Amino acid sequence: MKSLKGKVALVTGGSRGAGRGIAIELGKAGATVYITGRSVKGASTNQWPGTIDDTVSQIEAHGGKGIAIQCDHTHDSETEAVINKIRTEEGQLDVLVNNVWGAHDLSIDAKPFWDLSLQNWDTMFTAGVRAQLATNYFAMPLLRENNQALIIHTTFWDDDKYIGHFYYDLAKHSLIRMAHGLSIELKTDNIAVLAISPGFMRTELVLKYHELDEKHWQEAEELTGSETPHYVGRGILALASDPNVMEKSGKVFKVGDLAKEYQFSDIDGRYIPPFTL
């Protein structure tokens, strides 16, 4: 069912991982999906698998419409230009998925705070939290012109447990508070703002680390209980299709809980329970 036909979505950080899975699922549902990221065909960040052009190709393979825009969301002028392009070409923005996350450029070491480099602040806050905040900032005028809209922040959360990496924990919980604060300020505009926490995803980088592909992931015991990036995509699709989503505004949800509520599965037909540390 094309439940999002006529809707326009923006998914930031859509070259690979959660962003790609989300963009594809929204595109399959009929939305026109704009995808931003640094990696483009022939020039992928760190030579990692996946580009925004690849994501568009996968959306088109499912009969959907995707539009790739190269953007480094640490540069406000580039972020503003993305929103201006959407306004010019579509005149509306219905779903904004804040997924950009620059911390992949730095390994997440399980060390105490005092042994971690301060560079973690730049990768997780400048290229993560602030990048998402800036996207909200420039998108807000266009979003508020709608009768209703939806903003999603992808995060990681497990009932407020300490995640185990100081900067990562601080950044991810900041995204949850951002969603909560915006939900209050945007309530009268009928804009729902939520934070969504996927579980352990079999992203391109995770599969590359294990030297496996999606067809052979079960060969790695460490991937037991993992999910594809399409699982969170289907969760966000369910929320975007829910006429009563405002009732959830300001809260954080695990994808496994959304799967149980909205009765969807991962692309292999499995129900994966909510991830817990």
Side-chain angles (χ1 to χ4, degrees), residues 2 14 28 30 34 81 84 137 161 169 175 211 220 236 245-246 273:
K2 301 292 186 181
K28 286 165 60 177
Y34 285 77
N84 289 341
Y137 179 81
K161 294 176 185 174
D169 182 273
L175 295 173
E211 298 182 344
I236 291 173
V245 70
M246 277 297 295

Side-chain angles (χ1 to χ4, degrees), residues 28-42:
K28 286 165 60 177
T32 296
V33 186
Y34 285 77
I35 304 107
T36 61
R38 295 175 295 172
S39 296
V40 295
K41 188 174 181 179

Side-chain angles (χ1 to χ4, degrees), residues 22 95-99 132 136 150-154 179 192-196 236 239-240 245:
I22 294 165
V95 181
L96 169 58
V97 181
N98 277 299
N99 176 71
Q132 296 195 23
N136 282 330
L150 173 66
I151 299 173
I152 298 287
H153 289 267
T154 57
V193 192
L194 296 83
I196 304 301
I236 291 173
L239 292 169
V245 70

Side-chain angles (χ1 to χ4, degrees), residues 153-227:
H153 289 267
T154 57
T155 187
F156 181 80
W157 175 79
D158 187 12
D159 300 302
D160 294 326
K161 294 176 185 174
Y162 182 58
I163 298 173
H165 181 287
F166 180 83
Y167 288 98
Y168 188 80
D169 182 273
L170 191 60
K172 291 300 185 179
H173 282 83
S174 294
L175 295 173
I176 294 169
R177 290 303 297 178
M178 190 189 306
H180 179 70
L182 285 175
S183 74
I184 295 170
E185 296 201 356
L186 291 169
K187 185 176 182 178
T188 57
D189 290 291
N190 202 31
I191 298 177
V193 192
L194 296 83
I196 304 301
S197 178
F200 179 27
M201 291 184 292
R202 295 192 303 278
T203 64
E204 295 88 346
L205 296 181
V206 168
L207 289 171
K208 181 180 179 181
Y209 174 81
H210 288 280
E211 298 182 344
L212 294 170
D213 56 27
E214 183 56 31
K215 293 182 179 180
H216 302 90
W217 67 268
Q218 293 176 326
E219 295 176 12
E221 185 177 349
E222 298 95 326
L223 298 181
T224 301
S226 63
E227 59 201 49

Side-chain angles (χ1 to χ4, degrees), residues 18 42 44 55 63 65 75 82 101 112 130 132 138 143-144 158 174 178 196 200 222 228 238 240 247 250 257 266 272:
S44 177
T55 302
K65 181 180 180 181
H75 299 149
V82 169
W101 182 251
R130 189 190 183 282
Q132 296 195 23
F138 290 112
L143 288 164
R144 294 183 66 214
D158 187 12
S174 294
M178 190 189 306
I196 304 301
F200 179 27
E222 298 95 326
T228 76
E247 296 175 5
D257 289 324
D266 205 343
I272 299 97

Side-chain angles (χ1 to χ4, degrees), residues 13 18 24 38 75 85 95 98 109 120 133 140 154 167 230 238 242 247 252 256 268 275:
I24 292 172
R38 295 175 295 172
H75 299 149
K85 182 177 176 66
V95 181
N98 277 299
D109 298 317
N120 280 274
L133 183 149
M140 205 61 66
T154 57
Y167 288 98
H230 291 265
D242 185 350
E247 296 175 5
V252 54
D268 58 6
F275 181 83

